[in-house]
Amino acid sequence: MSYKEPVVMQPGDVLHGFAVKRCEAITLLQATMIELEHEKTGARHIHIACSDTENAFGVVFRTVPRDSTGVAHILEHTVLCGSRRYPVRDPFFSMLKRSLSTFMNAFTASDWTMYPFATQNPTDYYNLMGVYLDAVFHPLLDLLSFRQEGHRLSLEEDRRLTYKGVVYNEMKGAMSSPPQIMARALLQALYPDTTYRFNSGGDPQEIPRLTYDGLKEFHRFHYHPSNAWFFTYGHLPIEEHLAFIETWYLSGFERIDPKTEVPSQPRWKTPGRAFAAYPLAPGEDGSRKHQVCVAWLLSDIRDTFELLSLSVLNDVLLGNPASPLRQALIDSGLGSALSDSSGFDADNRDTFFACGLKDVSQEDAEKIETIIFDTLGRLYRDGIDKEMIESALHQIEFHRKEITNTPYPYGLRLLLGISATWIHGGDPMRILDIDADMEKLRAGAIDGRLLEETISRYFLENPHRILFTLSPDSEMNDREAERLARELETIRNGLTEADVARIETLEKELEERQQNQEDVSCLPTLHRSDLTDDIRIVEPSSKDVAARLTCYEQPTSGICYLTVIAGAGSLPGRLLEGVPFLTHCMTQIGTRKHTYLEIARMTDRCTGGLSAGCHVRTLHDNTKDCLALFQLHAKCLNRNIPQTLDLMTELLCDWAFSDMARLKNLVLEYHAELEASIVDSGHRLAMSRASANLSRTAALSERWGGIEHVRWMRSIARDPSPRVLEKLSETLSEIADALLHRSNIEIALVGEKEAIDASIALSGMLENGLPEDCGENGFSAPKFEIAETALPREAWTTATTVSFVAQAFRTPTMDHPDAPALAVIAKMMRSLYLHREIREKGGAYGGFAAYNPEDGLFHLASYRDPRIAGTLEAFRGAVDFIRSGQYAESDIDEAVLQVCADIDKPDTPAMAAKKAFFRALIRLDDATRKRFKENLIRMDRARVLQAAEAHFRDALDHSGVAVVSSDALIEAESPALPDGFRWRVQAI
């Protein structure tokens, strides 16, 4: 089905029961927005008609919890557990196997719940729309699903009671994370009279208070078409969307008043103070582990001009290292980095802004507050530097113009951008097309004092604010465990024999249902006939080997993308571990020509983003070796190419690590970022450790981004004395010297022809600025040793109430005939076995298998998991299952669809070109990719069985195992581990 211009509609036109309210062009998006309302129910609908073939859909409900039982979150899970037309226990996860979707998920926010998807296939689009809409409007909402997804009491073998449930364990993990605790506590403090004071995800202490009847009652009012906002986007015609929605769903409803309006928070007359605690690992020094911030309640979200003004002001105040409020806080030396939740938040009916510091002493709270108000007062009195305002306006212009599908497909990014304003009665068109507001803002901010007056009104003169302190508590988890044990013991003592029998009966019924093989033939599906063996191939438009320059002419909407790569293979082992921190410093510490503040201002003024990074890739023609790469990447509007080229050249040719005060700030900031990510990234850290000795790529990846890197950085941040910093500066200089020389650079340019022509000068600028060749070619394999025979059995402890379990082993890489079968096996193990055993039965938020065809590694892992031993047993069961052959050809078909959906996921022209550039560096040719997909589409059960037997027969006997958990959980689980299994237990 091809794109056709949308039917010209006029306000008042009625189409399939929907009345057109307006039809307007969005020039920047080259699209048309059609806004409608369903006459019978009052459901709202926005359609963005454009030529994009990645069509998106979403339905949003305003969900307004009145407690912290997590009713909105648990309902989001439970409606996806079977519906009237699709009475199977898990149609959502089943559709993941039967679809070519580029995105499928559901989200619960503070006051809305969203069910979005995107796909390039028209048949798939309506298949998914039908499953989603039947789920939300006609869910089964049976008791067993509520118990599985929400919470339930269960009896252990020793007859002790325990709480189980997917959301219960998900939120136990979430509320172990300081950033999550900070965000929830700020809402509770700033909005004491509205729904935002409650934890919409669910407080683990309160989740068990939610009743099954309460869940169903919440659905009755909140999931009604009168409380629904529909969104469609792409090249498919709106007429078919509206006919589908009206005919199958809305025609059966009448209009109601759902009573879900969210009032504005009453404003205070005097400021307040608030406190919260987060768990700290036992024995860790918490004296400088506090977070302190000031937070203000700001504008109504429906005032789109104020939203834009505050967004620009946020960038001025905090957007880069030279931003005055950020600089004042960091330069104070009172903390390591901006506090969690710092910045402007426009997700609620009333917006808010927060800023402060983390890793501070509690007694410094008033000092931090004074710095914040002194800085804001000075900006109000003396005025904001107009150049900083221009830079902030430039950032908005750039990011409006850039088309990106990261982290969500572009259509869904638009939906997420308008949802909060739209559901509260604001004008979504003012979000999608901000040209008029931008002109008004520019005039007021550049020619007048608009932003200064905004500071006065919302910050200096606004009494609705709090001084907030988040404090560490090393006994918090122990106290909660004791409280929970007492609660469960009290409940257990109050149970009658009939109550116990009822719990056991329900648990048995749930287990039987989880174990049953269902007939899912009622669900729609795509077929192999819907697949093609095509792959997207992007060829360079030109390549200059001598200049080490590759150009890709692509339609990029007036944006140029520049990437400079340096090989890190020549670095001696003692320098390798410093490369990630070098990339953190490279764009933020200044050069021999400019200070870091000047570099920050130049970056915001002329680029849409400047970043450095490092990563490790496996060489396709020698999979025992890897390529270690440093990368500097910039993107800019075509008009800013000359300034961006100058900036990149300066960073690469005139680097300097001599500003010791700034270096210390960067050490503390970077370390704080790593520490804050541990709990949320526990599964990634566990997977990295489990595979660290399986390949050179995995070993260096662990040193650059795993637990080993966290501990290396902590050793520096623990004592950033002048001597330590001087040594670090010398190390960074040694690394830069070894990396940045003429023969060790590769350059990629992506953009339209005029942009490429203008950017080619970069290679000459670098050739003139970089030193002559001074060492080995870095595009060779790095030199370091790994202990391949020492497969880890490791448990790493941190402050968490859940676990993350990973097991890894070697498998062949992409060029092996069995590689397509291994990709299929990973999908089958997850969807046919691990999902049931780890999520449904075990109560973890997720369990999965992952095959990396480039590296030849296979991972089994769990996320926010209440178990360890049981999960390791499930991993072994998954291996036994895949070797058993207890699956059908239809299961192979579904897994092939899933792998093809991953392969065919669309990239923007810029991203597709960048991927092609990196494939060339690792010598992965398009013929290999094409052969992989061709063999994938021809996959059958016999080939899967053959590969399973060849590569999984004794795989777990030659695997690495790693767990991220707490001391208490590891100790409790150890007796249940297999005989002879011994942990090496360490604190992260």
Side-chain angles (χ1 to χ4, degrees), residues 308-336:
L308 184 59
S309 300
L310 288 164
S311 296
V312 171
L313 186 57
N314 176 71
D315 196 72
V316 168
L317 295 175
L318 298 177
N320 67 65
S323 297
L325 187 51
R326 178 173 173 175
Q327 182 189 352
L329 286 166
I330 297 299
D331 286 356
S332 73
L334 296 174
S336 64

Side-chain angles (χ1 to χ4, degrees), residues 93 805 826 829-831 833-840 844-850 859-865 871 875:
F93 278 92
V805 185
M829 290 174 83
R830 177 180 184 176
S831 60
Y833 193 89
L834 293 172
H835 177 73
R836 179 183 70 237
E837 296 297 321
I838 293 178
R839 181 182 168 106
E840 292 183 347
Y845 185 60
F848 55 94
H859 286 91
L860 303 165
S862 69
Y863 184 71
R864 291 181 179 169
D865 193 343
T871 294
F875 291 166

Side-chain angles (χ1 to χ4, degrees), residues 480-535:
E480 171 55 18
E482 291 170 3
R483 184 207 64 80
L484 181 59
R486 289 195 303 271
E487 177 180 297
L488 290 169
E489 184 178 7
T490 300
I491 295 172
R492 180 71 177 90
N493 292 337
L495 294 178
T496 65
E497 288 300 317
D499 294 331
V500 172
R502 171 71 171 160
I503 290 172
E504 291 179 323
T505 298
L506 288 172
E507 196 73 355
K508 184 177 180 180
E509 289 176 359
L510 178 57
E511 186 175 341
E512 288 175 350
R513 189 173 77 164
Q514 291 167 341
Q515 203 63 36
N516 287 342
Q517 295 296 320
E518 287 189 302
D519 178 6
V520 295
S521 59
C522 62
L523 289 169
T525 186
L526 295 180
H527 304 281
R528 292 212 198 185
S529 57
D530 295 292
L531 302 174
T532 71
D533 58 12
D534 295 334
I535 59 170

Side-chain angles (χ1 to χ4, degrees), residues 617-775:
R617 301 290 295 269
T618 298
L619 286 167
H620 180 67
D621 56 358
N622 184 0
T623 56
K624 290 181 185 268
D625 277 331
C626 62
L627 207 57
L629 302 173
F630 161 92
Q631 168 186 301
L632 182 67
H633 177 73
K635 52 189 178 181
C636 65
L637 299 173
N638 287 349
R639 69 171 186 260
N640 291 327
I641 288 174
Q643 302 96 307
T644 302
L645 295 182
D646 287 341
L647 180 56
M648 291 189 77
T649 304
E650 181 175 334
L651 290 170
L652 292 166
C653 300
D654 293 291
W655 48 264
F657 303 102
S658 54
D659 183 342
M660 292 299 134
R662 180 59 179 162
L663 184 59
K664 180 178 179 180
N665 285 342
L666 289 173
V667 164
L668 297 175
E669 177 185 74
Y670 184 61
H671 174 250
E673 291 175 5
L674 291 176
E675 294 282 337
S677 69
I678 288 173
V679 174
D680 286 334
S681 301
H683 62 306
R684 184 186 61 79
L685 294 174
M687 291 168 68
S688 178
R689 284 304 308 170
S691 56
N693 291 346
L694 294 176
S695 73
R696 296 177 63 77
T697 298
L700 187 52
S701 295
E702 166 64 17
R703 292 176 72 175
W704 278 7
I707 292 173
E708 192 171 338
H709 180 58
V710 174
R711 287 162 64 87
W712 180 82
M713 199 65 222
R714 184 183 293 147
S715 70
I716 296 170
R718 187 181 293 119
D719 175 29
S721 64
R723 181 184 59 80
V724 170
L725 292 173
E726 192 67 40
K727 183 178 178 182
L728 179 61
S729 173
E730 292 172 1
T731 297
L732 297 176
S733 298
E734 277 193 79
I735 296 171
D737 261 332
L739 290 179
L740 303 176
H741 55 89
R742 292 180 193 175
S743 67
N744 197 40
I745 293 293
E746 293 283 350
I747 306 170
L749 302 176
V750 185
E752 286 115 353
K753 185 178 186 305
E754 60 271 24
I756 289 176
D757 290 344
S759 302
I760 284 176
L762 179 61
S763 61
M765 295 165 73
L766 290 179
E767 186 168 356
N768 292 330
L770 288 171
E772 296 284 353
D773 303 345
C774 50

